[in-house]
Every structure is written in structure tokens, then in C-alpha cells.
Amino acid sequence: ALHPVHVQAVSYISSRSDLLYTALALSSLLLWHKGNHAQGIKRPIYFSFALSAFFFGLFAKENIVVVPAIAVVMDLLWNRSGSWRNKIKENFGWYLGFIILFFAYFFIRLGAGFPISMEGGREFALSLRILFAFKLFALYLAVIFYPAHLSLFRVVPVPESFFEWPVILGVLLLIGMLAAAWILRRKHKEISLGLLWYLFSLGLVLNLTLLNSPMMEHWLYFPLIGLTLALVRAVRSVSETVGEVSGA
């Protein structure tokens, strides 16, 4: 809440959509979590409200499409139904609900005359777009941990080759975070969830699709919640290890 990078999400009036979809996304995930631990009639009620929050969030900002992926990760990490196939099978019908609601929103959007993609997007070769995504991945982490130079609009040159240091750094950071999420998935589930939350939601704004700007700080509003979850849980785990905090 107090991170300097979030100033833009509050002061830039156009970014109110990030605040709204984040609130609805968190509501959807919380209700989904409660539904997984509820019994009887409460279970479908919680899941129905989770789907409703997701559907309304689509009208705030389409970035909320990462919520179903995060919900699946939550199920795989915490559901006690045995194998991963059983975990997916248990809530499969509700996963379909996410898909149906997304297509319902999609047809409503087209019917209202809105374009599929944002206008003014930067068009260049797919290979350069992938390199650009790796570079942006590194730059976003840089601004998170060293928010000394904040800007409303940023100019980010498209890399010309893989051997530019921000591109290489982005690849290494991505591989490291994915590896950490996999290795810690059993003993430190919150860290795995937080890392995947960050990667899923940030992936939407790395210019792999057409966007109207290369990099905006308010796009970090929802992804940074996941990264914060991972970092806070990591600090607590270290503290417990050295005896500063008793295990709960």
C-alpha cells in the first residue's frame, strides 16, 4: 500500500481501473479460498460470488483474466484431494464457469463496438517483442526494488539482440523465480503462490500483445501484491529458522 511505485495508480485518474479490478480480483480469490474450505450449500455460494466478482472485474480491466490461473495454483497447492488430476477434477466445473463468463464478456464488448486490442500499440517482429518482454521484466523488478526514478510515461528502447544486459538479466530472473516457485511448492506454498501470482499478472503487460505504452508503473499494482506475499513469507521463514519468530 505504501510502495512509491503505486503513486501513479492513485494520482493518475485513468488508472482507477487498476484499483477497481484489483479490489474485485482480491475479492474473487478470497471467496474462492473460502469456497474450497466450505461445506454443504456454502461451497457453491462462495464459488458463485467468486465468479461474479471476476465477471464484474472484467468490465473494469481485462487483466483480471489471471484470476482463474491463480485460483488453479491455489487449488494445486492447498487442496487435499490427492493427485493433481483429482484436484483439478474437483473444481473443474467452476473453472469452466470462468471461461464461460470471459466469453460472455468478450461478446458484450464486441457488441458494444469496442476493439479487441488497444489502439496505438507498438508493432514489431515477434522475436524482438520477446526480447523486449525480457528487458521489461528486468526493468519492472528494478523499479520495484529501487524506485528512485518514477515517471508517468517511460521511453524504453526495443533491444536489438539477446546480448543486451537487461535482456539477459530478465531471462535469468525469470528462470530463477520459476525455479524457486517449483522448489518451494511443498514447504513454502505462500512463496510459490506469490511468485506465480506476480509472473502471471505481470506477463500481461510485457508487450507480448499490443499495448499503448511500453511500461507503466500503475500496471504493477496487482502483480506487486503477489510478490509482496512471497517476500513477506520468505522473511518470516528465515526468521523462524533463526529463532526470531516461533513457528505457528
Side-chain angles (χ1 to χ4, degrees), residues 65-207:
V65 295
V66 300
V67 163
I70 298 174
V72 171
V73 171
M74 291 170 58
D75 290 349
L76 292 175
L77 290 175
W78 276 280
N79 196 317
R80 298 181 179 179
S81 300
S83 68
W84 67 268
R85 292 184 179 85
N86 290 335
K87 295 176 180 179
I88 295 297
K89 183 179 180 180
E90 183 175 352
N91 288 334
F92 185 74
W94 296 104
Y95 298 150
L96 290 179
F98 281 119
I99 298 174
I100 292 171
L101 289 176
F102 172 76
F103 279 104
Y105 160 79
F106 184 77
F107 287 116
I108 292 173
R109 179 186 175 95
L110 290 180
F114 289 94
I116 297 177
S117 61
M118 300 184 69
E119 297 179 359
R122 304 176 66 184
E123 297 190 30
F124 42 91
L126 178 61
S127 58
L128 293 179
R129 191 172 290 279
I130 293 174
L131 296 181
F132 195 38
F134 287 132
K135 180 177 182 177
L136 290 174
F137 186 78
L139 292 178
Y140 273 118
L141 283 172
V143 77
I144 288 173
F145 289 100
Y146 188 68
H149 304 286
L150 303 180
S151 176
L152 181 59
F153 295 104
R154 295 175 180 270
V155 176
V156 182
V158 177
E160 297 181 357
S161 74
F162 175 81
F163 297 101
E164 293 187 21
W165 72 264
V167 177
I168 298 175
L169 181 60
V171 172
L172 294 176
L173 289 170
L174 177 60
I175 294 174
M177 293 176 74
L178 286 172
W182 176 259
I183 294 171
L184 301 174
R185 71 189 187 282
R186 298 186 186 278
K187 293 185 177 181
H188 301 288
K189 297 178 180 180
E190 294 87 353
I191 299 178
S192 292
L193 173 64
L195 290 175
L196 293 175
W197 179 324
Y198 177 77
L199 294 175
F200 290 162
S201 50
L202 189 70
L204 297 176
V205 296
L206 293 180
N207 274 259

Side-chain angles (χ1 to χ4, degrees), residues 225-236:
I225 296 175
L227 186 60
T228 301
L229 171 64
L231 291 176
V232 170
R233 189 62 182 93
V235 170
R236 178 174 175 83

